[in-house]
Amino acid sequence: MLNVLILSFIGALICTISTSGIGLIIHRSNYMDFDKRVTYMIASFIINSIYMMLFLYVSCIELTILAVIRWMWPILVADIIILLILSNEEYELKSTCALAVVSGVICLSVNFAPVQNLIFAHDMKNVDISYAVTSDEIVAKINLEIDNSVNNRDRFSVESPEMRLVNGKYIAIYHITDNLAMDLPGNADYIPGYAIQEKGKLPEIVPCRIYFDTSLVNSRDALRTVRRKYKTEVIGNYKFDIDDDGNPYEIFEYRENLYFSNGNDYGLIILNLSDGTSEKYPVSESKIPEWVDFETTYPR
């Protein structure tokens, strides 16, 4: 949280100095104009700080100055509208428009930057998944097999089954998510497990307490948990996976730098969903655990 506050302060300072701050210096000889500009500058700084703090916290993006500059443009557009209403802040309007354009161009450039792909590491050509059951059947089994003090009918949902290679066998994995984590914070401390199904067999619930997940919120949110440890990495796609002992994990792809790459600054972050511990595995070191069913590729 301290990093968020510091970057919010720096971002707001950049906005304020680049726009109304220089205008204040230019027009310091006019006391009435000076007084009005000081008021506007202080108000702008406070609003920009609050916006950036909320944006950085909610979006959970990488905590870097470049990321802050990239996402200045929404608040700068709001500043432009205010300046147009005031109609007599000519310098601030021009400088704010210029900074908004710079921020927008940087933000837009992300869409054209090379991106990673989180892909299945094994050959899936002849793997049959037609035997998988519906999500409703899995939810029904949760209600029957797991003892909980709350009604699970509306609380849990199940994502579409995906194949994983576990102990040399392909099995269907059903990732269970919590729909009411926001509404029932007292009852949403953990997800009671996940489901697996082998071909020719009925699905079964694997009971384990999953304390961190992408469907949970605040300190239990899987992405936020990873971000607390890896503050500046660019985190991309992610997938649910289990190891050969049945322990649940979330596999995240990451990059060290969004715009420039030497070809060795990307890899996987593996988050243990039971205890919240995580490890980073650069592709260049070739130390990714063998049980991980995903790999990340990056255009060279």
Side-chain angles (χ1 to χ4, degrees):
M1 191 62 185
L2 180 61
N3 299 75
V4 171
L5 291 173
I6 292 173
L7 280 175
S8 300
F9 177 85
I10 294 174
L13 200 61
I14 292 172
C15 279
T16 305
I17 293 176
S18 301
T19 56
S20 55
I22 298 177
L24 182 69
I25 296 173
I26 294 174
H27 298 279
R28 64 184 182 275
S29 59
N30 187 325
Y31 178 78
M32 296 301 294
D33 192 50
F34 179 87
D35 187 58
K36 184 176 68 173
R37 288 172 186 274
V38 168
T39 302
Y40 173 78
M41 183 178 67
I42 294 173
S44 177
F45 176 78
I46 293 173
I47 293 172
N48 291 345
S49 296
I50 293 173
Y51 158 76
M52 289 178 183
M53 179 178 64
L54 291 175
F55 179 81
L56 289 174
Y57 181 79
V58 173
S59 65
C60 214
I61 63 173
E62 65 276 12
L63 300 179
T64 63
I65 293 297
L66 190 59
V68 169
I69 295 174
R70 190 170 85 240
W71 288 104
M72 279 181 182
W73 66 265
I75 193 65
L76 291 171
V77 170
D79 287 342
I80 290 170
I81 295 173
I82 293 173
L83 290 169
L84 287 172
I85 293 173
L86 295 176
S87 73
N88 61 344
E89 306 293 341
E90 182 179 357
Y91 177 82
E92 283 85 343
L93 180 59
K94 290 180 179 179
S95 57
T96 303
C97 286
L99 191 58
V101 169
V102 171
S103 175
V105 168
I106 295 174
C107 189
L108 188 63
S109 70
V110 174
N111 296 326
F112 298 97
V115 296
Q116 290 167 254
N117 292 305
L118 190 63
I119 61 176
F120 204 71
H122 312 293
D123 184 11
M124 295 284 289
K125 292 179 181 177
N126 300 315
V127 177
D128 180 22
I129 198 173
S130 61
Y131 60 85
V133 300
T134 65
S135 298
D136 290 340
E137 292 178 76
I138 300 297
V139 173
K141 287 185 73 67
I142 297 174
N143 289 328
L144 289 173
E145 296 188 18
I146 297 179
D147 181 22
N148 276 286
S149 58
V150 297
N151 186 350
N152 298 322
R153 181 169 300 176
D154 297 322
R155 176 178 172 183
F156 297 113
S157 62
V158 180
E159 295 180 352
S160 299
E162 295 187 4
M163 301 304 292
R164 301 288 186 268
L165 186 64
V166 182
N167 290 315
K169 296 189 296 185
Y170 284 101
I171 62 174
I173 300 290
Y174 301 84
H175 178 206
I176 298 170
T177 58
D178 194 330
N179 298 324
L180 302 180
M182 186 69 75
D183 299 326
L184 296 174
N187 294 320
D189 292 332
Y190 63 89
I191 295 171
Y194 59 92
I196 62 173
Q197 184 181 11
E198 294 184 39
K199 188 173 184 178
K201 297 182 180 180
L202 294 174
E204 58 181 282
I205 301 297
V206 179
C208 64
R209 294 192 174 191
I210 297 176
Y211 288 101
F212 302 87
D213 191 75
T214 51
S215 66
L216 298 179
V217 296
N218 298 326
S219 62
R220 301 294 189 185
D221 174 39
L223 177 57
R224 199 171 298 282
T225 301
V226 169
R227 177 58 72 201
R228 282 198 297 270
K229 184 175 180 180
Y230 304 104
K231 295 179 172 58
T232 60
E233 285 79 353
V234 180
I235 298 174
N237 295 321
Y238 47 85
K239 286 285 189 179
F240 181 80
D241 199 1
I242 62 174
D243 64 14
D244 289 338
D245 295 321
N247 300 307
Y249 294 85
E250 198 76 30
I251 312 298
F252 295 84
E253 64 180 16
Y254 80 89
R255 283 184 63 186
E256 296 283 1
N257 194 304
L258 185 60
Y259 296 100
F260 308 100
S261 173
N262 60 10
N264 297 311
D265 63 349
Y266 69 99
L268 298 177
I269 295 173
I270 301 176
L271 172 68
N272 186 315
L273 299 181
S274 295
D275 60 19
T277 58
S278 58
E279 291 294 334
K280 185 168 71 171
Y281 296 92
V283 169
S284 59
E285 296 183 5
S286 302
K287 295 182 179 180
I288 298 173
E290 292 184 3
W291 60 264
V292 176
D293 291 316
F294 298 95
E295 59 185 15
T296 180
T297 62
Y298 178 73
R300 300 299 179 90

